[in-house]
Amino acid sequence: MSFHPVEQAPGRLNRSELAVPGSQPQMFEKAAQSDVDVIFLDLEDAVAPDEKLQARKNIIKALNEIDWGKKSMSIRINGLDTHYMYRDVVDIVEQAGERLDLIMIPKVGTAADVYAVDMMVTQIEDAKGYKKRIGFEHIIETALGMQNVTEIAAASKRNESLHFGVADYAASTRARTTIIGGVNPDYSVLTDPAEDGSRDIHWGDMWHYALARMVVAARANGLRPIDGPFGDFSDPEGYKAAAKRAAVLGCEGKWAIHPSQVVLANEVMSPSEGEVDRANRILSAMADAEAAGKGAVSLDGRLIDYASIRQAEVLIEKVKQIAAA
Ligand code: GLV
Ligand code: MG
């Protein structure tokens, strides 16, 4: 390991994160009853300008009055370029800050954006005498945010997670897609002709680079990388495919923009029985190897070593987190 320690953010379960518009209070109870790990009550892009003030009031009331159980509660504030943002923070943290676990900052572009919100939240928490510190979730969803993702990830002790906001990211980078989280058949590889002249088309994942880059910045700073929305809620297979790609790259959760996506996210982002079984067998095989004075052995015909222990331990830790939820 490097001599530079990577401090880990609080071990919060974040397999699924449900977006609930603050302007739709009739959806709050159902969200509270769901199996989701984190809920963000939205003040930003799912709320029309005329409804912003009422949404803020709805959220304050809901945070104080609804039993959200063990769920982590977040609010997505408006962007720092709007005049709504300061009151989102002041009113909600002052009036409902004790039940708020996280603040989601959209379209974060620079480390200074994080600093500004941190300064406000710190003042309010201190003035109110809150004991619990509110964490930050940042949506990386602009070219500027992606360019500065490393500095953003390191900008505050409150930072807990980075989220890939694929819809705004597409808009910001002028990517050719209009479907939220969808792909484009033009991003494909045409194979060389086979003997009979036929050629195959392999679709590519146009979001691979962005997601992978965000995952590295998150993990290098001890934060959770979380994949963002998949807009077509009538396509569970498409959702699961996107969630699996994200999980394979290291993401530990995905947004749900519809309650039906919560169960899919929880399923994909939880280790399977097979994975848990293999992790346990790796740990016991490596314990035997160590007792025999070996650093690497084979299991099922494959090499395992100390890095395998670390991977297995991460997986078992996740299982414990899920059991405790
Ligand atoms: C989320 O906010 C997104 O833009 O995808
Ligand atoms: Mg967005």
Side-chain angles (χ1 to χ4, degrees):
M1 291 294 174
S2 164
F3 188 58
H4 176 93
V6 175
E7 209 176 303
Q8 298 298 316
R12 195 186 295 282
L13 201 56
N14 204 166
R15 296 166 303 171
S16 48
E17 180 143 352
L18 181 63
V20 182
S23 50
Q24 308 278 330
Q26 73 280 8
M27 292 182 176
F28 293 175
E29 272 297 343
K30 190 171 174 200
Q33 301 305 320
S34 76
D35 281 335
V36 76
D37 293 336
V38 183
I39 294 175
F40 77 80
L41 300 172
D42 193 15
L43 292 150
E44 199 221 14
D45 278 357
V47 179
D50 285 357
E51 297 183 316
K52 298 271 188 202
L53 303 191
Q54 186 57 45
R56 207 184 276 148
K57 289 185 189 151
N58 296 342
I59 289 175
I60 292 170
K61 186 167 179 328
L63 283 171
N64 288 323
E65 293 179 8
I66 291 180
D67 179 4
W68 300 98
K70 283 190 188 170
K71 292 174 179 45
S72 295
M73 296 305 297
S74 182
I75 50 164
R76 178 164 76 169
I77 58 175
N78 284 285
L80 274 75
D81 58 329
T82 72
H83 62 80
Y84 301 113
M85 173 261 163
Y86 82 100
R87 279 225 164 270
D88 291 344
V89 175
V90 172
D91 287 5
I92 297 178
V93 178
E94 273 192 357
Q95 295 172 48
E98 304 226 61
R99 185 57 187 90
L100 195 60
D101 301 296
L102 299 159
I103 292 178
M104 175 178 271
I105 304 176
K107 300 181 185 67
V108 58
T110 68
D113 288 344
V114 182
Y115 185 91
V117 184
D118 195 350
M119 181 269 290
M120 286 179 71
V121 173
T122 301
Q123 288 200 22
I124 303 166
E125 281 180 346
D126 288 352
K128 298 291 290 183
Y130 293 150
K131 297 279 176 295
K132 179 165 65 71
R133 296 274 132 178
I134 294 169
F136 285 168
E137 323 183 88
H138 300 293
I139 318 184
I140 305 301
E141 54 181 343
T142 60
L144 184 65
M146 192 60 81
Q147 174 175 269
N148 294 322
V149 66
T150 306
E151 291 77 20
I152 289 167
S156 168
K157 287 233 173 286
R158 296 181 187 274
N159 285 358
E160 285 201 17
S161 54
L162 300 182
H163 300 241
F164 181 49
V166 65
D168 272 302
Y169 188 75
S172 172
T173 55
R174 305 189 191 190
R176 289 196 174 184
T177 174
T178 49
I179 304 167
I180 295 178
V183 285
N184 186 328
D186 283 349
Y187 196 80
S188 59
V189 176
L190 188 62
T191 61
D192 285 347
E195 273 177 19
D196 65 357
S198 64
R199 308 180 79 174
D200 288 332
I201 292 177
H202 295 292
W203 287 42
D205 178 6
M206 61 190 285
W207 310 117
H208 174 84
Y209 165 77
L211 201 55
R213 181 166 179 190
M214 189 195 80
V215 168
V216 172
R219 293 298 185 196
N221 290 278
L223 313 182
R224 299 183 295 276
I226 307 293
D227 192 25
F230 185 82
D232 187 352
F233 53 81
S234 59
D235 179 12
E237 292 310 313
Y239 180 93
K240 273 170 73 169
K244 282 182 187 173
R245 288 198 303 275
V248 166
L249 286 179
C251 285
E252 52 187 281
K254 182 163 176 64
W255 286 20
I257 48 99
H258 187 270
S260 65
Q261 294 179 336
V262 168
V263 59
L264 306 175
N266 286 351
E267 181 193 322
V268 174
M269 297 295 171
S270 305
S272 67
E273 267 180 40
E275 285 173 314
V276 177
D277 176 58
R278 183 164 165 78
N280 281 322
R281 289 194 306 121
I282 287 174
L283 293 177
S284 67
M286 284 302 294
D288 292 348
E290 205 167 24
K294 294 185 196 156
V297 283
S298 77
L299 180 71
D300 303 336
R302 293 180 192 148
L303 177 88
I304 56 170
D305 65 6
Y306 282 103
S308 317
I309 300 190
R310 287 188 285 277
Q311 291 180 31
E313 281 173 348
V314 165
L315 204 131
I316 299 298
E317 187 51 43
K318 170 69 49 175
V319 173
K320 288 189 189 148
Q321 248 187 0
I322 295 169

